[in-house]
Amino acid sequence: MTATTAPKSTSSDVLSVENVTRRFGGLVAVSKFSLTLHKGDLLGLIGPNGAGKTTAFNIIPGVYALTTDHIRLGNRKIDGHPPAQINRAGIARTFQNIRLFQNLSVLDNVAVALDRSAEHGLLGAILRTPKSVRRVADVERRSLDLLATFGLDSKADLIAKNLPYGDQRRLEIARALATGPTMLLLDEPAAGMNPQEKMQLMELISFIRKQFDVGILLIEHDMKLVMSICEKITVLDHGETIAIGRPDEIQCNPKVIEAYLGESGE
């Protein structure tokens, strides 16, 4: 990975999830969930299957509407807005099941995210005006710079679906960062990875945090990964927060051991 200039963002540097609840009919999937993520933080969100962590995670980028209370990015209330608007505000995410533009090139996957103003220049693009040509060239240059940061510039012309699994995951993260976020949400990024790929992922996440100066919220089942890189961890069980603390505190917490980690704490 080579260094590059971090994307600029005018979004606030504090994400506040304040006492939110989400119901599906009579089922309370998440109850009074709170979380604060500052730019530069690396936080984990864990819990057994059915704990509500995916629901809590999906509330933040606007996939699910809230039942009560709200979410703020700085002083701006963002819940109730569509996901695209929340992304523009400064929150980007990846998915447990990789969602690339599978039939586009690696370069085009990143260029689409960088060129979010393309809809305003459609006529110029059709007529290939000088301004449009310059914009396309600038987007391509910036896309290649970002791909170089992730070691993918040599694969820029490959079709995304033909990349190895680990590279697809890296490309998805690169595409998320291309939108210039201050907050990055990673949904089980180690899913489907072998041990070597997981080690590389841990290094990548630490690199992203430093290089792009973003706050990172991570949902992950791989406890070795979570305990190794996260500064603070929130644990959910049956939709309720049962513990918040440093990795060493979480590993010794009786409620967490009973609900999730097992008697050995592993």
Side-chain angles (χ1 to χ4, degrees):
M1 291 175 289
T2 58
T4 188
T5 302
K8 301 294 184 181
S9 176
T10 59
S11 301
S12 175
D13 62 356
V14 182
L15 172 66
S16 299
V17 182
E18 302 174 6
N19 202 36
V20 303
T21 296
R22 170 65 188 183
R23 297 184 178 90
F24 294 98
L27 173 66
V28 180
V30 175
S31 177
K32 299 180 181 179
F33 174 69
S34 296
L35 180 143
T36 301
L37 181 67
H38 295 83
K39 189 166 70 168
D41 286 349
L42 179 46
L43 307 184
L45 180 61
I46 67 172
N49 290 331
K53 58 187 181 297
T54 298
T55 299
F57 191 88
N58 282 330
I59 283 171
I60 299 171
V63 176
Y64 295 144
L66 300 183
T67 305
T68 61
D69 284 300
H70 52 262
I71 300 172
R72 294 184 181 276
L73 192 58
N75 296 321
R76 180 181 180 184
K77 183 174 177 290
I78 61 171
D79 54 276
H81 296 294
Q85 189 171 342
I86 292 175
N87 175 252
R88 289 177 185 272
I91 297 177
R93 68 164 299 174
T94 65
F95 296 86
Q96 178 182 355
N97 298 315
I98 297 173
R99 298 187 186 181
L100 295 171
F101 300 116
Q102 294 286 346
N103 293 313
L104 293 183
S105 70
V106 170
L107 177 65
D108 286 344
N109 265 271
V110 174
V112 166
L114 273 171
D115 195 25
R116 290 182 297 173
S117 63
E119 65 270 22
H120 302 300
L122 180 59
L123 181 59
I126 293 173
L127 298 177
R128 292 189 60 80
T129 62
K131 181 178 180 180
S132 174
V133 170
R134 287 195 300 271
R135 179 175 56 77
V136 170
D138 179 63
V139 168
E140 181 173 334
R141 176 187 58 78
R142 291 164 58 204
S143 298
L144 287 171
D145 285 347
L146 187 57
L147 288 173
T149 300
F150 286 81
L152 294 171
D153 50 323
S154 64
K155 302 178 181 180
D157 294 329
L158 296 181
I159 300 301
K161 66 181 180 182
N162 294 332
L163 288 177
Y165 183 85
D167 284 349
Q168 289 192 36
R169 183 66 76 184
R170 293 161 76 89
L171 176 58
E172 186 184 36
I173 296 174
R175 188 181 63 181
L177 288 168
T179 64
T182 51
M183 304 297 163
L184 177 63
L185 314 182
L186 301 177
D187 188 357
E188 298 198 29
M193 287 188 170
N194 61 42
Q196 181 180 356
E197 289 172 333
K198 288 180 181 180
M199 289 296 297
Q200 293 171 345
L201 176 66
M202 290 170 61
E203 295 175 359
L204 177 64
I205 291 172
S206 296
F207 171 82
I208 289 168
R209 177 193 181 195
K210 295 176 183 177
Q211 179 67 22
F212 292 88
D213 193 24
V214 293
I216 299 176
L217 176 63
L218 172 74
I219 285 185
E220 184 52 63
H221 280 295
D222 189 304
M223 288 299 98
K224 181 179 179 181
L225 189 152
V226 173
M227 297 297 174
S228 296
I229 66 174
C230 292
E231 299 166 318
K232 185 186 290 185
I233 299 169
T234 296
V235 187
L236 294 180
D237 187 33
H238 294 96
E240 297 187 355
T241 300
I242 62 171
I244 300 174
R246 300 188 310 270
D248 60 316
E249 295 172 332
I250 294 301
Q251 288 177 307
C252 298
N253 186 294
K255 290 184 178 179
V256 178
I257 293 172
E258 180 182 0
Y260 190 38
L261 294 180
E263 291 184 2
S264 66
E266 296 178 354

